[in-house]
Amino acid sequence: MGIIKARKLGYDYYEYEEEGKDPEIVHAVEDVDLDIQAGQFITVLGHNGSGKSTLAKHMNALLVPTEGTMWVDHMDTAQSDDIWKIRQEAGMVFQNPDNQIIATVVEEDVGFGPENLGVPTDEIWRRVDESLQATGMVAYRKQSPNKLSGGQKQRVAIAGVMAMKPKCIILDEPTAMLDPNGRKEVLKAVRELNQAEGVTVILITHYMEEVIYSDKVFVMDEGRLVMQGTPREIFSRVEKLKELRLDVPQVTLLAYELRKKGLPIPEGILTIEELVDEICRFN
């Protein structure tokens, strides 16, 4: 069993539209099976309302399944006795870092989580140093978070979760509110965290350029898991992604259009360098 595993996972909630009318049952997640191995970089894709954020909240027991089972490091999230430990093993970073940053100084905010876990003071500061170093925020440790850019704030939020030493970090659309430079900053920090620390990273996103570095991609639609595979396998199915109202990286789309014109370019091109190499073979 991987560090995150779901079996026949389902989650329903009631939606109240008009006063006096019976509520409607909404199937936010249906019949999802997945198995994520320790140390992997995973991306979850889906259009708005596809269920990807609902799935993410099951991964650290913010939500509990109405059907099926979710396990985090072999612990059933429906078992209330394990919730505290589950949230130590699987940390979560949300869209808006302002909802997670509570201290007036960056280093104090990063140390807040381990302090609440009862970690000794010397160990807290060691973790703060490591986390700020890993996210490239050492130079800002004495600053107020209010003076930071959106991307820098999100790095602080990631550092705060890192300092708790989880085995897995779930990032629920952490770049949705950022400009392109901010998105690059955060993605770089996440990739380095995965590569240097071996932390399992689960990135929920709708930005296709963030997907190509993943080990595996899960695609959701209407609460169901409808595709899974490597980035190259997923982006080889351009027409299917269009049906699901999803984009593909621009270079992948260009290669797809060139192939439709008859050029012998393979499916699933992910980078400009790959496309250039393929075009150069024509000579």
Side-chain angles (χ1 to χ4, degrees), residues 236-256:
S236 292
R237 303 179 63 187
V238 174
E239 292 297 332
K240 178 63 176 178
L241 291 171
K242 287 182 177 180
E243 289 177 14
L244 297 172
R245 292 165 285 169
L246 295 174
D247 295 324
V248 297
Q250 287 187 336
V251 66
T252 306
L253 184 59
L254 175 58
Y256 169 77

Side-chain angles (χ1 to χ4, degrees), residues 24-274:
E24 180 181 349
I25 297 177
V26 177
H27 304 294
V29 174
E30 291 188 75
D31 199 29
V32 169
D33 292 334
L34 56 80
D35 196 348
I36 296 171
Q37 301 302 309
Q40 285 188 315
F41 189 148
I42 301 295
T43 303
V44 181
L45 292 176
H47 61 83
N48 291 338
S50 63
K52 58 186 187 296
S53 290
T54 302
L55 177 64
K57 290 173 183 176
H58 278 81
M59 294 178 180
N60 78 335
L62 284 175
L63 294 176
V64 177
T66 52
E67 295 180 5
T69 311
M70 171 70 79
W71 293 274
V72 175
D73 202 16
H74 305 279
M75 293 177 287
D76 185 342
T77 60
Q79 300 299 317
S80 58
D81 291 345
D82 288 331
I83 286 180
W84 180 246
K85 190 172 182 182
I86 287 169
R87 290 178 182 166
Q88 290 178 261
E89 300 288 355
M92 195 156 185
V93 178
F94 297 96
Q95 275 190 31
N96 189 345
D98 290 327
N99 293 337
Q100 283 186 262
I101 296 174
I102 60 171
T104 57
V105 178
V106 165
E107 62 179 14
E108 292 177 1
D109 190 85
V110 176
F112 179 80
E115 182 179 13
N116 277 271
L117 295 176
V119 175
T121 301
D122 289 348
E123 173 65 11
I124 290 174
W125 288 113
R126 187 184 69 80
R127 293 188 185 189
V128 169
D129 291 342
E130 286 183 352
S131 300
L132 291 173
Q133 183 68 44
T135 54
M137 292 300 293
V138 172
Y140 302 90
R141 64 183 304 152
K142 298 293 185 182
Q143 289 197 22
S144 166
N146 293 329
K147 296 181 179 179
L148 302 179
S149 68
Q152 289 168 336
K153 286 181 180 180
Q154 199 61 283
R155 283 176 176 247
V156 171
I158 293 170
V161 173
M162 283 179 60
M164 298 175 70
K165 294 293 183 183
K167 294 181 180 179
C168 174
I169 293 182
I170 303 120
L171 301 108
D172 186 11
E173 300 201 50
T175 63
M177 302 179 66
L178 305 180
D179 60 25
N181 286 334
R183 292 201 297 270
K184 288 179 182 178
E185 285 181 13
V186 171
L187 183 60
K188 182 174 183 290
V190 170
R191 288 176 59 201
E192 289 175 350
L193 169 64
N194 172 252
Q195 293 166 358
E197 304 288 333
V199 175
T200 304
V201 171
I202 301 169
L203 176 65
I204 317 296
T205 187
H206 59 266
Y207 290 109
M208 299 301 115
E209 68 271 18
E210 298 179 353
V211 178
I212 64 173
Y213 305 104
S214 306
D215 297 310
K216 193 170 185 179
V217 182
F218 295 100
V219 181
M220 296 194 68
D221 183 58
E222 296 184 350
R224 294 181 175 271
L225 186 60
V226 293
M227 296 174 68
Q228 59 180 293
T230 66
R232 197 174 305 281
E233 289 168 342
I234 295 298
F235 288 134
S236 292
R237 303 179 63 187
V238 174
E239 292 297 332
K240 178 63 176 178
L241 291 171
K242 287 182 177 180
E243 289 177 14
L244 297 172
R245 292 165 285 169
L246 295 174
D247 295 324
V248 297
Q250 287 187 336
V251 66
T252 306
L253 184 59
L254 175 58
Y256 169 77
E257 294 296 338
L258 291 173
R259 190 169 57 256
K260 284 174 63 177
K261 297 294 184 181
L263 295 180
I265 294 175
E267 296 181 337
I269 293 290
L270 299 178
T271 67
I272 293 174
E273 291 77 15
E274 286 181 354

